[in-house]
């Protein structure tokens, strides 16, 4: 995909995520890999107001090359890319249900959500919780890096999800699946439920091996 097509795609997905209430205010950010670095959504701009020509461009060592100043959460994206050579895009949202789950006590920090559906297993798989850090704390990048090699999706405690994909479409689809699964989990948490069994999860993974 050419850089200009990718710029248009980031703007289109940003608007779509914003208009469907998956992010709000100037929260949430999107990045994608290009030949000579990364495109990233700028700081302090709502995702429905992105301008393809003003997206931030970062060089291969993470320095700002052109466009507006990148999101202050750029380090989260770079932490994912540094550990995942195949990652082509990263999306981070403050999507309501995922944030709600990120605040729950008594979840398994190694894998926060149960296997609610096969689609969740296919698109997200497992979801470790990254301990809480204040905004902008660089220790958060280290904490993400420690998990990113083994997980393309992580949940930042009291903050929100960060999801990488082998395409921009895949990263967006995965974070949407995560958000809907978080919603289902909260709807069902007080009910007697049948999550997928370990055997059913293994069968899905055999048919659709995680990338
Ligand atoms: Zn954030």
């Amino acid at each position: 995909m050419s850089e200009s097509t990718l710029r248009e795609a980031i703007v289109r997905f940003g608007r779509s995520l914003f208009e469907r209430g998956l992010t709000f205010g100037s929260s949430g950010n999107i990045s994608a890999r290009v030949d000579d670095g990364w495109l990233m959504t700028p700081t302090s701009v709502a995702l429905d107001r992105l301008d393809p020509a003003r997206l931030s461009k970062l060089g291969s060592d993470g320095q700002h090359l052109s466009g507006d100043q990148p999101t202050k959460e750029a380090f989260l994206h770079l932490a994912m890319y540094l550990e995942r050579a195949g990652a082509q895009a990263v999306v981070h949202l403050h999507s309501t249900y995922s944030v709600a789950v990120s605040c729950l006590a008594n979840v398994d920090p190694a894998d926060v959500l149960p296997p609610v559906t096969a689609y969740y297993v296919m698109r997200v798989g497992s979801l470790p919780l990254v301990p809480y850090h204040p905004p902008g704390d660089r220790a958060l990048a280290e904490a993400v890096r420690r998990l990113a090699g083994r997980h393309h999706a992580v949940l930042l405690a009291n903050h929100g999800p960060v999801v990488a994909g082998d395409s921009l479409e895949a990263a967006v689809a995965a974070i949407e699946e995560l958000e809907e699964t978080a919603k289902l989990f909260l709807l069902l948490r007080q009910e007697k439920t049948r999550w997928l069994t370990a055997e059913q999860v293994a069968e899905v993974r055999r048919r659709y091996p995680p990338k």
Side-chain angles (χ1 to χ4, degrees):
M1 193 184 280
S2 74
E3 184 175 318
S4 63
T5 311
L6 202 48
R7 283 175 181 267
E8 297 288 346
I10 290 172
V11 171
R12 195 169 61 248
F13 278 117
R15 186 179 305 119
S16 165
L17 291 168
F18 190 95
E19 286 177 348
R20 287 178 294 140
L22 287 156
T23 196
F24 54 89
S26 59
S27 72
N29 27 75
I30 303 172
S31 67
R33 193 190 289 275
V34 289
D35 287 343
D36 49 351
W38 293 279
L39 294 173
M40 212 161 282
T41 50
T43 185
S44 307
V45 62
L47 289 189
D48 66 337
R49 295 182 177 205
L50 298 171
D51 176 345
R54 292 179 62 177
L55 294 178
S56 313
K57 187 162 180 183
L58 273 60
S60 46
D61 55 1
Q63 82 282 21
H64 182 216
L65 292 180
S66 62
D68 289 347
Q69 283 296 323
T71 165
K72 292 185 191 74
E73 294 180 310
F75 67 94
L76 287 178
H77 296 246
L78 295 175
M80 269 288 184
Y81 290 116
L82 286 171
E83 297 298 322
R84 304 190 69 82
Q88 295 300 317
V90 174
V91 182
H92 165 56
L93 299 175
H94 297 173
S95 42
T96 307
Y97 293 97
S98 301
V99 177
V101 165
S102 85
C103 302
L104 290 176
N106 305 321
V107 291
D108 177 3
D111 193 6
V112 179
L113 288 170
V116 176
T117 66
Y119 302 96
Y120 176 75
V121 174
M122 286 155 62
R123 295 199 175 113
V124 179
S126 60
L127 185 71
L129 188 70
V130 180
Y132 175 78
H133 292 75
D137 188 338
R138 293 306 162 112
L140 180 56
E142 278 311 306
V144 170
R145 275 191 77 170
R146 278 196 286 278
L147 293 164
R150 285 168 289 126
H151 300 277
H152 70 285
V154 300
L155 185 62
L156 313 180
N158 303 74
H159 184 165
V162 183
V163 179
D166 54 10
S167 67
L168 182 53
E169 288 78 0
V172 170
I175 206 164
E176 289 184 10
E177 191 73 39
L178 198 168
E179 175 67 359
E180 290 305 308
T181 303
K183 186 175 178 179
L184 290 168
F185 173 65
L186 292 170
L187 279 170
L188 291 168
R189 208 158 66 102
Q190 308 300 336
E191 308 287 336
K192 274 194 171 171
T193 53
R194 281 174 291 99
W195 309 125
L196 296 187
T197 63
E199 204 167 61
Q200 288 167 330
V201 169
E203 170 65 10
V204 172
R205 290 196 169 135
R206 260 196 305 278
R207 290 179 188 227
Y208 306 97
K211 286 172 190 158

